[in-house]
């Protein structure tokens, strides 16, 4: 087994060399936001969609645009507004009076990296237009179904739901996102750098594409080979089950605070994201710390607090943190 892990380690180190080029190019534009950039890479490598939440002005949209720019692939930005229609995303059938038939007009979803900007500014019927594309990697227009090109990734930004003019995403939609990231303000030092770099009338936000889609797909195949011990697999399952049956894990005080726990999709995504996180660390094996590092991003949107939890001002973030603090690490 040790020989096998050594071989995987060498393979990961070789195949992850492009990560440094990608980060260097990204940092030409983005100041700070290391957490956001790292998690965007985890989603890209683990083939998982990402939901990014934060107040306006934190470079959420810019970070996604820059990431798309450093990969030589197709990119589309969709600005979600209250008057947006599902056909504006997936496309529609257009009547051709010359031959009396219909032709298919494809929407912006037919791309590789999709920026769904301010996704919660549109009603549920528009948000749900992404469901088939995100889960099945296909789009149905009329009676025709079209496969989407790989890699296909939806990176959605949303404003905090307390803000005016927002529509909370349905649970089924939220669960399709592998990660949900909560972005906070930069520190003083970072904000000073941002001010010096961006407080000019003409900004150079151009980046060079340094990674091909083929390189991303090859990295994904290597990530599938990263070793995960059975103890860590059981640790992941214990974490997820603790969101459903907290009393069985010595967390009786959480019993009435969770309305719905995480689904099996959470277990799958946590394992995939942990492997991708290990790849970013240039390792061919997953450690418990990888699971703990990426776990809150996988679970925070999948644990639904009860009314009792809201009355006690307990958030899903608090619940997930407590579970990771209490469940024994292998």
């Amino acid at each position: 087994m040790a020989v096998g892990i050594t071989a995987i380690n060498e393979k990961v180190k070789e195949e992850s060399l492009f990560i440094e080029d990608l980060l260097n190019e990204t940092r030409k534009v983005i100041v700070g936001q290391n957490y956001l950039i790292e998690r965007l890479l985890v989603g890209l490598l683990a083939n998982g969609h990402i939901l990014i939440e934060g107040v306006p002005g934190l470079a959420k949209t810019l970070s996604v645009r820059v990431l798309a720019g450093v990969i030589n692939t197709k990119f589309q930005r969709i600005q979600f507004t209250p008057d947006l229609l599902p056909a504006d995303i997936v496309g529609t059938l257009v009547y051709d009076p010359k031959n009396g038939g219909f032709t298919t007009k494809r929407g912006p979803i037919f791309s590789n990296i999709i920026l769904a900007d301010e996704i919660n500014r549109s009603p549920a019927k528009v948000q749900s237009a992404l469901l088939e594309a995100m889960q099945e990697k296909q789009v149905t227009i009329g009676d025709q179904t079209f496969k989407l090109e790989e890699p296909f990734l939806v990176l959605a930004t949303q404003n905090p739901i307390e803000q005016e003019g927002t529509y909370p995403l349905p649970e089924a939609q939220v669960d399709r996102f592998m990660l949900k990231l909560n972005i906070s303000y930069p520190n003083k030092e970072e904000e000073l750098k941002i001010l010096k770099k961006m407080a000019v009338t003409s900004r150079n936000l151009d980046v060079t594409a340094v990674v091909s889609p083929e390189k991303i797909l090859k990295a994904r195949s290597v990530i599938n080979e990263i070793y995960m011990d059975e103890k860590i697999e059981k640790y992941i399952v214990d974490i997820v089950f603790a969101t459903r049956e907290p009393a069985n894990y010595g967390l009786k005080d959480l019993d009435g605070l969770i309305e719905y726990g995480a689904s099996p999709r959470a277990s799958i995504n946590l394992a995939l994201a942990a492997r991708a996180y290990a790849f970013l660390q240039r390792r061919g094996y997953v450690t418990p710390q990888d699971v703990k590092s990426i776990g809150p991003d996988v679970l925070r949107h999948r644990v639904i607090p009860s009314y009792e939890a809201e009355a006690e001002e307990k958030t899903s973030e608090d619940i997930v943190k407590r579970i990771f603090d209490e469940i024994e690490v292998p």
Side-chain angles (χ1 to χ4, degrees):
M1 183 59 71
V3 175
I5 294 176
T6 302
I8 296 169
N9 257 329
E10 292 303 316
K11 199 171 184 180
V12 167
K13 285 177 183 176
E14 183 182 336
E15 294 298 333
S16 63
L17 290 174
F18 72 90
I19 296 291
E20 203 58 44
D21 294 334
L22 192 151
L23 289 174
N24 289 337
E25 194 66 26
T26 301
R27 285 169 183 150
K28 288 180 181 178
V29 176
I30 305 296
V31 176
Q33 295 293 14
N34 293 327
Y35 161 78
L36 172 57
I37 293 169
E38 185 178 69
R39 291 328 190 250
L40 288 176
L41 289 178
V42 167
L44 179 67
L45 294 169
N47 194 17
H49 311 293
I50 299 178
L51 180 62
I52 309 166
E53 182 175 299
V55 297
L58 297 182
K60 302 186 299 295
T61 301
L62 179 61
S63 297
V64 174
R65 284 181 57 197
V66 169
L67 176 68
V70 298
I71 302 169
N72 187 19
T73 190
K74 290 183 285 185
F75 168 70
Q76 284 284 354
R77 172 181 175 175
I78 306 172
Q79 186 66 49
F80 280 67
T81 56
D83 60 347
L84 196 70
L85 297 172
D88 296 328
I89 298 173
V90 299
T92 188
L93 295 173
V94 179
Y95 180 71
D96 186 351
K98 288 183 180 179
N99 57 26
F102 288 87
T103 58
T104 302
K105 182 184 178 184
R106 299 188 181 195
I109 196 73
F110 288 90
S111 192
N112 296 107
I113 295 180
I114 305 295
L115 169 57
D117 209 11
E118 297 189 299
I119 190 172
N120 61 336
R121 293 287 181 194
S122 290
K125 69 174 183 179
V126 179
Q127 297 168 5
S128 63
L130 287 172
L131 275 177
E132 183 186 16
M134 290 173 67
Q135 188 62 26
E136 309 297 335
K137 305 293 175 71
Q138 65 182 32
V139 170
T140 301
I141 304 173
D143 58 356
Q144 281 188 288
T145 298
F146 303 89
K147 284 285 183 186
L148 296 169
E149 290 181 30
E150 288 285 2
F152 174 74
L153 196 63
V154 174
L155 304 172
T157 69
Q158 73 170 11
N159 301 118
I161 57 173
E162 293 81 10
Q163 288 200 339
E164 283 189 38
T166 58
Y167 301 83
L169 271 67
E171 284 82 356
Q173 176 82 10
V174 173
D175 198 47
R176 259 63 175 190
F177 289 98
M178 173 180 275
L179 309 175
K180 181 188 176 187
L181 313 180
N182 285 344
I183 307 303
S184 57
Y185 293 108
N187 60 37
K188 257 189 176 182
E189 186 180 330
E190 289 172 343
E191 188 135 356
L192 185 60
K193 289 180 181 176
I194 292 168
L195 186 149
K196 289 180 177 179
K197 190 179 185 73
M198 296 296 189
V200 291
T201 53
S202 58
R203 305 170 188 166
N204 181 16
L205 302 179
D206 295 331
V207 290
T208 304
V210 293
V211 182
S212 67
E214 292 74 24
K215 195 73 177 172
I216 299 297
L217 296 176
K218 190 175 181 183
R220 286 180 179 178
S221 66
V222 173
I223 285 168
N224 289 334
E225 298 177 32
I226 289 177
Y227 176 71
M228 181 179 289
D229 192 85
E230 189 176 344
K231 289 179 181 177
I232 293 179
E233 291 175 342
K234 289 179 177 176
Y235 176 57
I236 289 172
V237 172
D238 282 340
I239 290 290
V240 173
F241 262 74
T243 69
R244 305 175 200 165
E245 305 165 358
N248 293 348
Y249 292 86
L251 297 165
K252 289 185 179 179
D253 56 318
L254 296 183
D255 215 7
L257 302 183
I258 302 173
E259 187 73 25
Y260 297 106
S263 69
R265 189 183 279 130
S267 303
I268 296 167
N269 284 345
L270 186 47
L272 285 170
R275 279 195 167 101
Y277 189 81
F279 182 87
L280 287 181
Q281 314 308 314
R282 318 294 198 272
R283 271 190 281 101
Y285 57 92
V286 177
T287 67
Q289 189 56 48
D290 294 331
V291 178
K292 292 190 79 168
S293 297
I294 204 72
D297 303 310
V298 175
L299 293 176
R300 66 166 54 95
H301 56 300
R302 294 187 162 95
V303 176
I304 311 300
S306 64
Y307 288 116
E308 186 181 331
E310 291 177 11
E312 294 183 18
E313 297 185 345
K314 297 283 187 184
T315 65
S316 62
E317 193 88 27
D318 299 326
I319 294 168
V320 169
K321 183 179 184 304
R322 179 78 199 289
I323 288 171
F324 272 102
D325 287 345
E326 296 297 327
I327 298 297
E328 185 180 351
V329 178

